[in-house]
């Protein structure tokens, strides 16, 4: 598979974040397999998460193929980039085909990235997650690597204006120990364990994050349990339902 688009996009992203001095702290990459298939299951707090999740796999020299909604591939700007980087389109009305394609890619030794919460978490906690990541890993016989991101939401998240040129925003990425589900495992049980690991990783990077809101107005980017003014999980679920 020719990689004519992905490496230049990664280089451009790294350059932009250096210019903006977005201090990227990537840890736990020893848990990402250097060879063979793997699923990366990441929390979702920002429209930019696929970029930083992908950068989180760079120390392992892996390119992550993300499962993303079909509408992004139809965009005249993003679409050619998504296809050029060999990401996987997901038609939510016909999800079986994209699931089968992800399993095929995993069996071929690729790394597939998923956001099992399905949508951005407005509460900045880990929402209930779908079992697809666990099921495809079990079918393909590959591990699932939990990952957490923090700080990306300060640049662009749901319900807030974009601040893509905001400088000096720390971004934290933390990968955890993989799970290796087998076809005989109960998917919902392993999915519960995966969510617990993702939540634990998020708690760690939130606790280690080098900045706190500078004013009352900036407390929006902290979850309620850390003294912030983000919606509670129940309030966020109600907003999503509307």
């Amino acid at each position: 598979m020719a990689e004519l688009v992905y490496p230049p996009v990664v280089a451009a992203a790294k350059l932009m974040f250096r210019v903006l001095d977005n201090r990227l702290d990537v840890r736990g990459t020893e848990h990402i397999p250097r060879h063979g298939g793997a699923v990366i299951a990441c929390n979702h707090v920002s429209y930019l998460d696929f970029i930083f999740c992908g950068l989180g796999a760079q120390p392992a020299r892996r390119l992550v193929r993300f499962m993303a909604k079909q509408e992004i591939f139809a965009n005249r700007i993003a679409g050619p980039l998504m296809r050029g980087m060999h990401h996987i389109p997901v038609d939510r009305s016909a999800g079986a085909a994209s699931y089968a394609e992800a399993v095929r890619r995993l069996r071929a030794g690729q790394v597939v990235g998923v956001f099992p919460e399905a949508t951005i978490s407005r509460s900045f906690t880990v929402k209930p997650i779908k079992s697809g990541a666990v099921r495809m890993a079990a079918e393909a016989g590959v591990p699932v690597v939990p990952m957490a991101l923090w700080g990306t939401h300060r640049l662009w998240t749901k319900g807030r204006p974009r601040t893509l040129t905001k400088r000096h925003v720390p971004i934290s990425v933390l990968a955890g120990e993989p799970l290796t589900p087998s076809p005989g495992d109960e998917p919902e049980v392993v999915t519960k364990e995966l969510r617990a690991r993702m939540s634990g990783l998020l708690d760690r990077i939130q606790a280690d994050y080098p900045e706190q809101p500078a004013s009352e107005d900036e407390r929006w980017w902290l979850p309620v349990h850390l003294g912030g003014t983000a919606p509670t999980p129940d309030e966020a679920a109600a907003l999503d339902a509307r």
Side-chain angles (χ1 to χ4, degrees):
M1 183 183 295
E3 299 294 351
L4 302 178
V5 177
Y6 215 139
V9 169
V10 170
K14 287 181 176 179
L15 175 61
M16 181 179 74
F17 299 134
R18 278 199 299 271
V19 169
L20 294 175
D21 190 28
N22 295 138
R23 291 162 284 164
L24 190 60
D25 178 23
V26 180
R27 290 178 284 158
T29 57
E30 68 275 9
H31 298 304
I32 299 174
R34 267 51 180 175
H35 306 283
V39 176
I40 293 181
C42 191
N43 73 312
H44 201 7
V45 293
S46 166
Y47 292 107
L48 304 175
D49 287 341
F50 71 97
I51 297 175
F52 291 97
C53 179
L55 289 176
Q58 282 291 295
R61 300 184 182 277
R62 303 306 301 270
L63 298 177
V64 183
R65 316 299 176 176
F66 287 96
M67 300 185 75
K69 60 185 180 180
Q70 178 68 46
E71 291 84 348
I72 299 176
F73 290 78
N75 182 279
R76 64 184 182 87
I77 297 174
L81 291 174
M82 296 294 283
R83 289 188 290 274
M85 289 186 282
H86 308 294
H87 295 314
I88 303 170
V90 177
D91 182 348
R92 291 181 178 175
S93 65
S98 53
Y99 176 90
E101 175 63 13
V103 171
R104 185 189 71 79
R105 300 279 194 96
L106 291 167
R107 286 174 172 162
Q110 296 185 29
V111 177
V112 172
V114 298
F115 297 101
E117 296 165 279
T119 58
I120 289 173
S121 171
R122 298 173 189 259
S123 68
F124 308 137
T125 61
V126 179
K127 298 167 56 176
I129 67 175
K130 311 273 186 195
S131 63
V134 166
R135 289 187 293 108
M136 68 176 65
E139 188 169 338
V142 302
V144 182
V145 179
M147 182 179 282
L149 304 174
W150 189 242
T152 59
H153 59 306
R154 295 178 62 190
L155 300 175
W156 189 14
T157 192
K158 189 177 289 186
R160 302 289 306 186
R162 283 177 290 183
T163 55
L164 299 181
T165 57
K166 185 176 178 64
R167 294 175 57 83
H168 315 306
V169 175
I171 306 294
S172 301
V173 184
L174 179 61
E177 293 186 11
L179 298 85
T180 306
S182 66
D185 292 335
E186 176 56 52
E188 297 303 329
V189 173
V190 184
T191 297
K192 184 177 180 180
E193 172 63 19
L194 174 61
R195 183 183 182 225
R197 293 195 187 193
M198 291 170 61
S199 295
L201 293 171
L202 182 58
D203 288 344
R204 282 175 57 188
I205 54 176
Q206 286 173 336
D208 293 342
Y209 195 67
E211 288 190 2
Q212 291 293 316
S215 67
E216 183 69 18
D217 289 344
E218 286 197 2
R219 289 175 59 224
W220 68 266
W221 57 261
L222 279 184
V224 169
H225 71 275
L226 293 179
T229 57
T232 66
D234 287 344
E235 290 168 344
L239 288 170
D240 288 342
R242 288 201 291 268

